[in-house]
Amino acid sequence: MQILHPIPAPLLPAAAALWRAHFGRGGWPRRVHAGHGLVAVDAAGAVVGVMGLRDAAGGFADGGAGWPGWLFRAAPATGDLVIDGLAVCLPRQGVGRALVDHARHLAQGVARPGLRAEVRARNRGALAFYADIGFEAQAVGRYGLPWWGQVHVLRLAA
């Protein structure tokens, strides 16, 4: 397996499709930013995982102007590099862990103190994954869009 950042143009459609399958809706987002993402590819060059990243310069998904924007409630500000969605084709194969490890090195390289993940409370699998690899709870609140419910803010030091 190989982790690539930024996402190479030929792999961007497959990476975006995998991300949309987990986090998108109705074709949203139409555009993604290769520089705000990581992709995991297998030995045959197929996309097996994708991670979006977000900082003050933006995120993986180009949300554009739209009606949900005014509904969105941001989590508390951070100096950390924020994981903007992590999706894998097959869970429990080490792909998610490899993406997080690579993102952690990226955070160190751009002088970010750590990584942050914002996970919906009902996503028990993701909460368990992040806890297993060392993320610690920082806050719980109603962040994001109203229908997301409670969101856990998790952190891993770089």
Side-chain angles (χ1 to χ4, degrees), residues 31-92:
R31 293 184 312 187
V32 294
H33 298 282
H36 284 275
L38 303 170
V39 67
V41 294
D42 64 14
V47 171
V48 294
V50 63
M51 174 190 281
L53 298 171
R54 187 174 73 239
D55 60 17
F60 184 63
D62 183 358
W67 65 269
W70 61 272
L71 292 172
F72 190 83
R73 293 165 296 196
T78 184
D80 293 333
L81 188 58
V82 179
I83 296 173
D84 195 14
L86 168 62
V88 299
C89 291
L90 297 171
R92 300 175 201 251

Side-chain angles (χ1 to χ4, degrees), residues 9-36:
L11 299 175
L12 198 53
L18 179 57
W19 194 92
R20 276 187 200 104
H22 287 81
F23 305 105
R25 179 173 258 183
W28 180 88
R30 293 191 180 179
R31 293 184 312 187
V32 294
H33 298 282
H36 284 275

Side-chain angles (χ1 to χ4, degrees), residues 92-148:
R92 300 175 201 251
Q93 303 298 311
V95 177
R97 183 179 296 267
L99 286 164
V100 169
D101 287 344
H102 197 91
R104 196 174 190 186
H105 291 294
L106 284 175
Q108 291 169 344
V110 294
R112 299 285 179 173
L115 291 176
R116 177 156 105 179
E118 298 163 4
V119 181
R120 295 178 200 179
R122 67 178 173 258
N123 191 345
R124 296 289 176 208
L127 290 169
F129 165 76
Y130 286 117
D132 186 50
I133 60 175
F135 277 76
E136 296 180 359
Q138 298 292 297
V140 177
R142 293 192 60 88
Y143 310 120
L145 295 171
W147 50 87
W148 288 0

